[in-house]
Amino acid sequence: MDPLWSSIFRKKLDEDSLTYFLKHLPIFSELSPRALNLLEQVVHQRNYKDQETIFEEGDPGSGMYMIRSGSVSIYTKDDHGKDYELARLVPGDFFGETTLTAPAPRSASAIAIESTELIGLFRADIIELTERRPGVSCSILLGLTRVVSERLQAASHEIRRLQDQTGQHISAESVET
Amino acid sequence: MTGRPVRYNRSWTRGQVALAFIVLTFAIAGGLAIYSSATSLIGLWRTASSVLFLPLLLSLVLAFLLDPVVTQFEKFFTRTGSIFILYVLLLGFVFLFTLGLTPHWQSFWSDMANDFPRYTSQVTDGLRNLMNALHERFPTLAAYDVPTRFRAWAEQMMAAVLSETPHSAMKVGGLMVVVPLFTFFFLRDGRAIMRACVALTPNRHFEMARDLSHMISRQLSQFVRGRIIEAMIIGVVVTLGLSLTDIRYAPVLGIFAGVTNLIPYIGPIVGMVPGILIAFVDLGVGAQFWWIVILYILIAQVLIDNFILIPILISRVSNLHPLLVFFAIIVGGKLYGVIGMIIGVPIVSVIKIILLEIRTYRRTFRLPESALE
């Protein structure tokens, strides 16, 4: 096609557009194009410098972050007060999703380890969206619930495996809560 | 340099003195220029803000009021479409209202112009009788000629109202163009404007700013909506109650009672004064007069406002100490006149709500942490 025309009829789902990024996240993969458009208006785009703190353990948590570019280290302090890395996250990963619906202090710290672009989605945005567009908000929350449930199932499997390994018995109640 | 005495080295050469003189002169002149331009900038800012103050405030309040309706429409249409539909509905309503009201309007104003002097002369007579009775008991009071003073004041008021009416009609006309326009944009882009403001906060505090902005705007819209709906209901109740009697100007008195009801403690008292005065002059002390007094005090204030509306519409959180209410009214009146008196108290309540929300937020997140330890 003629380059002039191709630039005029450029596809909306460009690879570097925010919609494209959101659509390829597992949480939002089942959203309709219209819902994606609304979601794009609701999320916040934030840029972090190398070594910039995103949040610290104990901070009031109110939402989740998705990594668009760069990388993030999740760490906590061990008994001796030394930093102990729990995970290193790359583009497409997300973190902090447990505080999206239930307000709680952050359970670990997060720091950008290179220049990083994050997409934030916060509880206030979800609440406002629920009032305006209950349907869209519902499909977003369904996706989130699916991913969180998968993670929870994986975690319970892991606990069971560790139980079998060590032979220790953890009561079923404490696993489920 | 080496051969010269040390003392000579320390003092300045003529060129340096000249340079220092020039630099200092320019510095002082520049400082003065910046200062004067700054004061003129502040003057400009003050003029601009005084022009924008009332329309901005009105359209913000209107936007707070209409936002829930637009949100309801938004489930079926786009946001801009919903605002347009709402505007068309409102316009039709206002059109029908004025169409029904226009014939009465003219006679209403001429009645008012005739009646006001009558009311003032009646009150002046009443005051004179009262003063005569007082003079017989306390002769020293003869020096104070209260009735004459009252009449002079009332005539001044009337003249001011009559001469200001065309002027304020111009102003109201301007407001009727500007306020719907501003309201439209606040309704359509209010969320985007808030987002842009919140986006300015640094990364470290962004999350907190987002949460706080959400909680504060929710509380604020509840407060503004509650206050306005309360004033409207009081206005309607007073109007209905008054139109059961033979009193004139029932709608105007009702509107006045509703507007003054926005001010706590003092407002209701100010709001009932004209109604009771007119009832006293026109109807005399009789069954209807006492019905009007009961309507103002017992029905409107105690029963409807205190027992029904305030518990439902307004959270106790925004209650202000009476002393703070007086401060707000006095300072508001000093800054912006009558409008300042009406909005002073809500603005102080708004500041209180913001501070309280910040405190609740900090407390909410401190509790689980201390529970963990």
Side-chain angles (χ1 to χ4, degrees), chain A residues 152-166:
Chain A
L152 195 61
Q153 280 161 2
S156 352
H157 276 299
E158 184 69 11
I159 290 172
R160 203 160 297 152
R161 197 181 58 81
L162 287 171
Q163 258 179 345
D164 291 344
Q165 252 181 18
T166 55

Side-chain angles (χ1 to χ4, degrees), chain B residues 37-50:
Chain B
S37 70
T39 47
S40 70
L41 273 183
I42 290 171
L44 279 177
W45 163 251
R46 192 170 290 162
T47 322
S49 65
S50 74

